[in-house]
Amino acid sequence: MTKQLLLPLLMMMTICNGFAQQIIPLWEDKDIPNYQKSDEKELIPERDIVFIKKIQKPTLTVFLPSKQSANGKAVLILPGGGYAGVSYDWEGTDYAKWLNSKGVAAFVLKYRMPQARSVKTSYLAPIQDAQRAMRIIRNNASEYNVDLDKVGVIGSSAGGHLASTLGTHTKAYYPAKDNIDQHDFRPNFMLLIYPVITMNNEVTHKGSRNNLLGKNPSKELVAQFSNELQVDANTPPTFIIHSGDDGVVQVENAILFYQALVKNKVKADMHLYPTGGHGYGMGIPNDKAPKWATLAEEWLEK
């Protein structure tokens, strides 16, 4: 699907705050890689947040600041959810509104879940969607007032694993479909919020590992998606937040990645907090949640 064909497919969606946003399908139905037909339906359980499960067709929702405020930066947002679903508002659209307020274009990805019946090979689907989303952003950079060399990614929890996969894996995980796929899928910078990093069974978040790789993955597959092992000198600069009392994703995930970045002389900024637990989003649910947004804003300005 070319850029000319893509743009007419932009759809409009009214978000709960009353603003209309563009929703872009990543592919035409016939072009979705690693896909098979199923009778499974997308599901949003009744919860305090919008948590989308069993995603069949991935989409990218566009949030743009005013042209007067735009600073040329863009961020692809990968919400967490343990590779079982996406915390679409809590770690997605809330981030987008914050980024827009700082002049940054934001794009929330609703990516496929590895264990969806419509997915053929589990571990390929999320990274295929993330790579395609990054390419779509760059393909439409002029319309979005975005600099091609200032496109980053932010991911939380399992979304942090997907973000670090996008930033450290150099191979394309699907064959090129059109002119969009001529663009680079690697981000220029990464923000990782209480991220899953490793698939090492002693440290990983087991739910994310089981959903992504299956319950009995090979040693080779575990190593491939243990992203601290994939860091090299070309890994983009990275900002990391984690809490020592995180009882869901061990803080060692962040530490392992930071150590790999330092070893490879990659610019890295890590902030560890003694409290906060896990899944605090923008850091406002309780007094113990880290107030990390100001630090991130300062880092982005650099």
Side-chain angles (χ1 to χ4, degrees):
M1 180 169 53
T2 64
K3 176 180 175 181
Q4 288 73 24
L5 289 174
L6 174 66
L7 292 176
L9 287 174
L10 297 179
M11 299 179 293
M12 302 303 293
M13 173 183 179
T14 301
I15 309 299
C16 58
N17 64 5
F19 292 98
Q21 302 296 340
Q22 295 175 337
I23 299 182
I24 303 173
L26 296 192
W27 288 280
E28 293 179 348
D29 290 353
K30 64 181 178 62
D31 290 331
I32 301 176
N34 189 33
Y35 176 83
Q36 58 191 5
K37 288 185 178 180
S38 81
D39 59 357
E40 200 169 51
K41 304 295 183 183
E42 187 172 292
L43 174 66
I44 305 178
E46 187 173 343
R47 295 177 58 170
D48 290 340
I49 63 172
V50 178
F51 190 79
I52 308 175
K53 304 180 69 174
K54 303 182 186 298
I55 293 161
Q56 305 299 305
K57 296 178 182 179
T59 61
L60 190 66
T61 304
V62 181
F63 291 78
L64 300 179
S66 65
K67 287 186 178 181
Q68 292 90 337
S69 300
N71 59 23
K73 295 186 179 76
V75 174
L76 171 63
I77 302 171
L78 306 178
Y83 283 125
V86 294
S87 300
Y88 187 77
D89 56 350
W90 184 242
E91 296 167 345
T93 59
D94 282 1
Y95 288 11
K97 297 168 193 174
W98 159 62
L99 288 164
N100 278 181
S101 75
K102 302 304 172 182
V104 180
F107 304 83
V108 181
L109 179 62
K110 186 177 76 172
Y111 55 95
R112 289 174 292 162
M113 293 301 105
Q115 298 302 322
R117 289 202 293 269
S118 57
V119 169
K120 294 179 181 178
T121 302
S122 64
Y123 57 87
L124 292 178
I127 186 58
Q128 288 171 330
D129 293 349
Q131 288 183 344
R132 177 70 172 184
M134 184 62 73
R135 286 166 156 168
I136 287 174
I137 294 169
R138 288 198 168 104
N139 189 66
N140 295 316
S142 60
E143 286 86 350
Y144 300 147
N145 299 304
V146 165
D147 186 325
L148 286 172
D149 297 321
K150 295 182 179 179
V151 184
V153 65
I154 185 171
S156 305
S157 195
H161 181 267
L162 182 54
S164 64
T165 304
L166 186 66
T168 59
H169 292 220
T170 59
K171 76 170 186 176
Y173 278 98
Y174 65 91
K177 301 287 185 179
D178 49 37
N179 291 336
I180 293 172
D181 291 329
Q182 303 307 309
H183 290 276
D184 190 2
F185 55 75
R186 297 283 297 279
N188 298 111
F189 54 89
M190 298 190 290
L191 297 94
L192 308 179
I193 314 303
Y194 41 84
V196 179
I197 292 294
T198 187
M199 292 289 109
N200 181 316
N201 203 40
E202 300 301 316
V203 182
T204 191
H205 175 243
K206 289 182 172 57
S208 295
R209 170 179 150 137
N210 290 344
N211 284 330
L212 184 65
L213 304 184
K215 293 185 177 180
N216 296 293
S218 66
K219 291 181 180 179
E220 291 77 15
L221 199 58
V222 168
Q224 182 180 348
F225 285 91
S226 290
N227 291 331
E228 77 279 10
L229 303 179
Q230 310 307 323
V231 173
D232 61 23
N234 295 316
T235 298
T238 304
F239 175 91
I240 307 171
I241 293 291
H242 217 122
S243 297
D245 68 345
D246 192 327
V248 178
V249 176
Q250 296 179 46
V251 71
E252 283 84 352
N253 282 268
I255 293 170
L256 285 170
F257 200 70
Y258 179 77
Q259 289 174 327
L261 293 168
V262 171
K263 181 179 179 181
N264 285 275
K265 296 180 172 55
V266 176
K267 292 182 180 179
D269 194 338
M270 180 169 70
H271 300 269
L272 300 182
Y273 295 83
T275 61
H278 186 77
Y280 39 76
M282 290 295 300
I284 59 176
N286 57 68
D287 291 339
K288 294 182 179 179
K291 307 299 188 286
W292 55 268
T294 300
L295 292 172
E297 291 164 14
E298 294 172 353
W299 185 80
L300 281 170
E301 288 177 3
K302 299 176 184 177

